[in-house]
Amino acid sequence: SKKIVVLISGSGSNLQAIIDACISQQINGVISAVISNKADAYGLTRAQNANIQTHVVDHKAFDSREAYDKVLADKIELHNPDLVVLAGFMRILTPEFVQRFAGKMLNIHPSLLPKYQGLNTHQRALDAKDKEHGVSVHFVTEELDGGPVVCQAAIEITAEDTADTLAARIHTKEHIIYPLVVEWFCDNKLTMDNSLVFLNGEQLEATGIR
Ligand code: GAR
């Protein structure tokens, strides 16, 4: 089974979904470690409750993004993972960091990429009067939130929605699609080559997968 390292900054509900999918054997993998840049991230408690090793690498202790990412990458590589999962890890990554895990790092982003890269995606979808919103799982490349999309889930936006109601409905979708994509990766069904994604040997389009 595959070795997975998960990076978090906060609540870790996506981490929990992946922990649960490993326990149920939906995912043929083991989470070797959970690493947070914040000592008070609730996801660290989730990891400890599941007997998963945790590390905190606090970005505030470093002078530069490069110095931080070097220590973070070294910490990850201690576990020699097959897959690095970014699950609400709220840091921009240096090209050097991304290159060290090329083709084996996934991120989840709460928008229908390529729409709304960056922050405050729910409010931006509301402000634009979008009729739909969603979430994307993608391979990480040097371009922020720009790597090739593997899987998306969409929700309808209603007149009553707020950023909070959208976030809640997005979360329920995230907890389905992120374990699914990790399952594919751990079953050797999913690869990235030259920024192209292949599922079961067939190339996926960069966007529009539902
Ligand atoms: C998730 O909604 C994820 O899509 C988002 O952070 C949340 C983490 O929730 N990620 C980003 O915004 C990345 N830029 P969680 O800690 O409960 O998994």
Side-chain angles (χ1 to χ4, degrees):
S1 74
K2 302 288 192 206
K3 285 181 289 187
I4 304 167
V5 169
V6 183
L7 306 194
I8 62 166
S9 300
S11 158
S13 70
N14 282 285
L15 164 67
Q16 187 69 59
I18 293 166
I19 289 172
D20 294 346
C22 289
I23 289 172
S24 75
Q25 298 182 17
Q26 177 197 344
I27 293 172
N28 183 17
V30 172
I31 302 177
S32 308
V34 170
I35 306 176
S36 175
N37 65 313
K38 294 195 174 178
D40 63 354
Y42 180 65
L44 292 169
T45 302
R46 297 181 190 272
Q48 284 149 13
N49 288 343
N51 289 314
I52 297 167
Q53 193 178 337
T54 60
H55 307 281
V56 174
V57 188
D58 186 345
H59 57 278
K60 292 196 289 298
F62 294 83
D63 294 337
S64 70
R65 200 173 282 287
E66 286 70 24
Y68 178 79
D69 278 10
K70 169 104 178 46
V71 169
L72 181 64
D74 289 346
K75 192 67 94 178
I76 295 168
E77 278 179 352
L78 283 180
H79 298 277
N80 197 21
D82 301 294
L83 175 64
V84 178
V85 170
L86 308 183
F89 187 64
M90 304 302 280
R91 297 263 317 159
I92 293 172
L93 300 166
T94 57
E96 294 72 25
F97 181 93
V98 171
Q99 278 154 19
R100 278 174 73 167
F101 305 103
K104 55 179 189 175
M105 185 156 57
L106 295 167
N107 183 42
I108 192 159
H109 182 77
S111 76
L112 293 173
L113 290 173
K115 278 191 145 179
Y116 310 130
Q117 301 170 344
L119 297 176
N120 300 318
T121 59
H122 309 309
Q123 192 58 51
R124 287 158 69 199
L126 288 171
D127 292 347
K129 304 214 177 336
D130 288 355
K131 294 199 165 41
E132 64 169 11
H133 184 40
V135 55
S136 307
V137 176
H138 65 94
F139 276 102
V140 177
T141 61
E142 291 177 30
E143 196 188 335
L144 177 67
D145 298 328
V149 172
V150 178
C151 187
Q152 294 183 317
I155 61 170
E156 270 181 46
I157 300 182
T158 70
E160 291 75 42
D161 269 316
T162 64
D164 285 347
T165 63
L166 290 179
R169 291 217 300 296
I170 291 281
H171 263 110
T172 65
K173 296 289 189 189
E174 293 187 326
H175 302 160
I176 297 167
I177 71 169
Y178 215 178
L180 180 63
V181 171
V182 173
E183 174 194 331
W184 291 339
F185 188 94
C186 290
D187 286 341
N188 298 318
K189 292 178 176 168
L190 182 67
T191 54
M192 182 182 73
D193 191 25
N194 271 314
S195 287
L196 300 177
V197 177
F198 298 85
L199 183 61
N200 292 318
E202 294 212 45
Q203 188 195 327
L204 296 182
E205 294 296 327
T207 59
I209 302 102
R210 293 285 164 83

